Amino acid sequence: MENTNSKALFERAQKVIPGGVNSPVRAFNSVGGSPVFIKRAEGAYLFDEDGNKYIDFIGSWGPMLLGHADPDIVDAVRETALGSTSFGAPTKLEVEMAELITSSVQGIDKIRMVNSGTEATMSAIRVARGFTDKNKIIKFKGCYHGHGDSFLIEAGSGALTMGQPSSPGVTEGTAKDTLNADYNDINSVKELVEANSDDIAAIILEPVAGNMGCIPPVNGFLQDLRALSDEHNIVLIFDEVMTGFRVDFEGAQKVYGVTADLVTYGKIIGAGLPVGAYGGKKEIMEYVAPTGPVYQAGTLSGNPLAMAAGLTMLNKLKNNPDVYEDLERKSARIAEGMTKTLEAHGITFSANRVGSMIGLFYCEGPVTSFADANRTDKELFSKIFHGMLKRGVYLPPSPFEAFFLSNALSDDDIELTLNAFEETIEEISIKN
Ligand SMILES: *Cc1c(COP(=O)(O)O)cnc(C)c1O
């Protein structure tokens, strides 16, 4: 596969952009090799700067649920842009967006638009702290909530009462207010709550973890978190930046029948434009400025292009519930096909799937926590990634990312993908 142009661009990029990329995973560091530079995309396909075509399993890391360059979304953006790209004053589109979400998703009385998932989670914990007048938050090992300082914290020694920065530049002061629990282990959460009696403002989690592969909540986990939060006056935050409008139009809250106090969104809600949002219970959301004392603002928040794209996307999803059935069928076919191939070649693996989120782990199952996910054979993953890439299938370039399917995938695309997988696994098995 020709990659001269991508390579040349990567050379240029590395001189002027840290690592040549604007977000680390794009650099292919965890799989090796040189990243592919994308020129354009349409439906289920990416086209790179060398003219190669790939079946896309990243979908821009989530937003492209309906495939790339959806004509309705492109039209909405184009038409809106003709009336200017930003005003810094309220618009009808923002009202329509908020009305659509609050009227269709349980537990969201009010919602505030921001510009990314990171901003949404940062703002949500600030509001939770302001509302409860408490300081600490509990998050889970292996969950990702963007790059806000409060989330770049890992469990250190004395993990029961404080965390430690996982990135230079994050202060000890910030770290002392973030605690790390084990995903799917309610006792680890209870211990933290007990050890920090009255100072837990929020528990935040991905209701289906999607940033350590795909790990669904075990039976009762979300319900137990709900009960524990109620008992201790803790704000329960579901970070649905990935799962929102993907696992169901109403997100994981609907799938698992648990309503959070606050929910954060991103990705699909902006249809590929930079958007995030946080919303939830009226009494908590009214704590946000200008109604309440908790400050949060944004020059480009509720941007008209982003709202036009997002609103078009959400309306399309809401009016075509078949999308979710189609995605379920396609995803099941892919997961089953890959499973069969791996079994046939005697490769140890464990597969998790929730709707169109698929996580393949190359280790013994079940995989229910970050410790489990970490046992995946990363070297094998890299080989599979490159085997698929050279056969025209673009998987997420990290062993800890779920595949993101789009409904633009045709049955032929799925067939091609499964054949590429079969060939890749065969090639790897022969070499070993
Ligand atoms: C992607 C993601 C974020 C961060 O969103 P950005 O728009 O990249 O800032 C936060 N939470 C979850 C669950 C995500 O998947």
Side-chain angles (χ1 to χ4, degrees):
M1 196 170 262
E2 180 64 38
N3 67 351
T4 328
N5 293 342
S6 278
K7 275 201 161 146
L9 280 167
F10 193 45
E11 290 280 307
R12 279 169 61 191
Q14 284 172 291
K15 291 188 182 126
V16 287
I17 305 171
V21 291
N22 281 316
S23 198
V25 73
R26 298 178 197 170
F28 278 21
N29 280 347
S30 60
V31 290
S34 187
V36 172
F37 279 62
I38 302 301
K39 187 166 188 175
R40 64 179 196 90
E42 197 181 327
Y45 312 119
L46 296 170
F47 299 90
D48 72 12
E49 290 282 352
D50 291 283
N52 300 307
K53 175 182 171 184
Y54 306 89
I55 299 175
D56 180 18
F57 281 89
I58 302 187
S60 186
W61 300 96
M64 297 304 166
L65 193 68
L66 296 174
H68 291 274
D70 177 272
D72 297 324
I73 293 170
V74 172
D75 279 351
V77 172
R78 190 186 281 133
E79 203 166 296
T80 306
L82 293 172
S84 183
T85 51
S86 180
F87 315 112
T91 62
K92 185 174 163 192
L93 282 171
E94 293 167 273
V95 183
E96 289 174 351
M97 179 67 127
E99 284 174 348
L100 176 65
I101 296 167
T102 54
S103 67
S104 22
V105 182
Q106 58 182 320
I108 313 267
D109 304 325
K110 293 198 169 190
I111 188 159
R112 170 64 66 80
M113 292 291 146
V114 292
N115 303 289
S116 67
T118 293
E119 247 190 273
T121 56
M122 273 167 43
S123 308
I125 58 167
R126 184 183 306 138
V127 178
R129 285 170 166 151
F131 179 74
T132 57
D133 196 21
K134 297 191 278 187
N135 296 306
K136 293 186 195 277
I137 61 162
I138 294 176
K139 71 174 185 71
F140 293 84
K141 294 170 199 165
C143 280
Y144 179 69
H145 305 293
H147 68 91
D149 283 8
S150 298
F151 301 113
L152 300 182
I153 310 291
E154 59 197 9
S157 53
L160 266 189
T161 50
M162 65 169 81
Q164 70 179 31
S166 61
S167 163
V170 175
T171 67
E172 300 285 337
T174 298
K176 80 177 182 4
D177 287 330
T178 299
L179 306 168
N180 281 277
D182 292 309
Y183 199 76
N184 278 330
D185 178 358
I186 192 68
N187 287 328
S188 74
V189 188
K190 284 185 177 157
E191 278 175 20
L192 293 176
V193 170
E194 270 157 32
N196 299 273
S197 46
D198 291 322
D199 206 21
I200 308 290
I203 295 174
I204 183 168
L205 78 159
E206 294 177 73
V208 177
N211 286 282
M212 47 175 162
C214 169
I215 301 188
V218 294
N219 261 347
F221 182 57
L222 300 179
Q223 285 79 359
D224 288 347
L225 288 176
R226 180 66 275 174
L228 191 66
S229 301
D230 287 340
E231 194 183 327
H232 294 271
N233 185 31
I234 294 168
V235 175
L236 181 62
I237 307 172
F238 279 2
D239 180 355
E240 297 228 43
V241 169
M242 191 182 292
T243 52
F245 311 104
R246 175 170 288 276
V247 294
D248 182 274
F249 187 78
E250 294 182 51
Q253 289 199 107
K254 177 71 177 292
V255 174
Y256 295 98
V258 177
T259 307
D261 299 308
L262 290 179
V263 180
T264 54
Y265 293 110
K267 299 189 171 131
I268 291 177
I269 206 177
L273 277 89
V275 185
Y278 63 103
K281 277 196 180 137
K282 185 164 173 250
E283 60 267 34
I284 304 178
M285 289 307 289
E286 289 191 337
Y287 244 70
V288 181
T291 19
V294 174
Y295 190 68
Q296 187 272 311
T299 302
L300 297 177
S301 294
N303 173 270
L305 298 191
M307 292 302 102
L311 197 54
T312 306
M313 167 75 107
L314 297 191
N315 271 318
K316 284 186 77 143
L317 294 176
K318 190 165 185 191
N319 298 329
N320 302 296
D322 289 357
V323 167
Y324 295 100
E325 280 163 39
D326 287 352
L327 272 167
E328 172 64 30
R329 180 181 59 80
K330 293 174 187 179
S331 311
R333 218 184 128 201
I334 289 172
E336 282 159 20
M338 291 187 169
T339 298
K340 265 197 199 130
T341 296
L342 291 167
E343 277 168 359
H345 288 84
I347 292 178
T348 306
F349 75 100
S350 176
N352 288 343
R353 185 175 73 82
V354 176
S356 60
M357 293 167 67
I358 297 175
L360 277 180
F361 303 92
Y362 301 100
C363 59
E364 294 281 350
V367 173
T368 64
S369 69
F370 185 55
D372 291 340
N374 228 337
R375 292 189 282 108
T376 193
D377 184 338
K378 295 160 194 94
E379 210 170 299
L380 177 59
F381 172 81
S382 299
K383 287 183 193 158
I384 294 173
F385 171 80
H386 283 292
M388 294 297 275
L389 191 69
K390 77 178 180 197
R391 292 177 173 86
V393 180
Y394 198 127
L395 300 179
S398 158
F400 295 112
E401 298 285 352
F403 300 178
F404 296 98
L405 274 65
S406 89
N407 209 32
L409 281 171
S410 67
D411 286 331
D412 284 351
D413 297 330
I414 294 174
E415 188 85 29
L416 277 169
T417 301
L418 292 177
N419 286 341
F421 195 72
E422 174 75 41
E423 282 177 32
T424 298
I425 297 298
E426 185 129 346
E427 182 181 68
I428 293 169
S429 305
I430 289 168
K431 274 191 192 153
N432 288 344

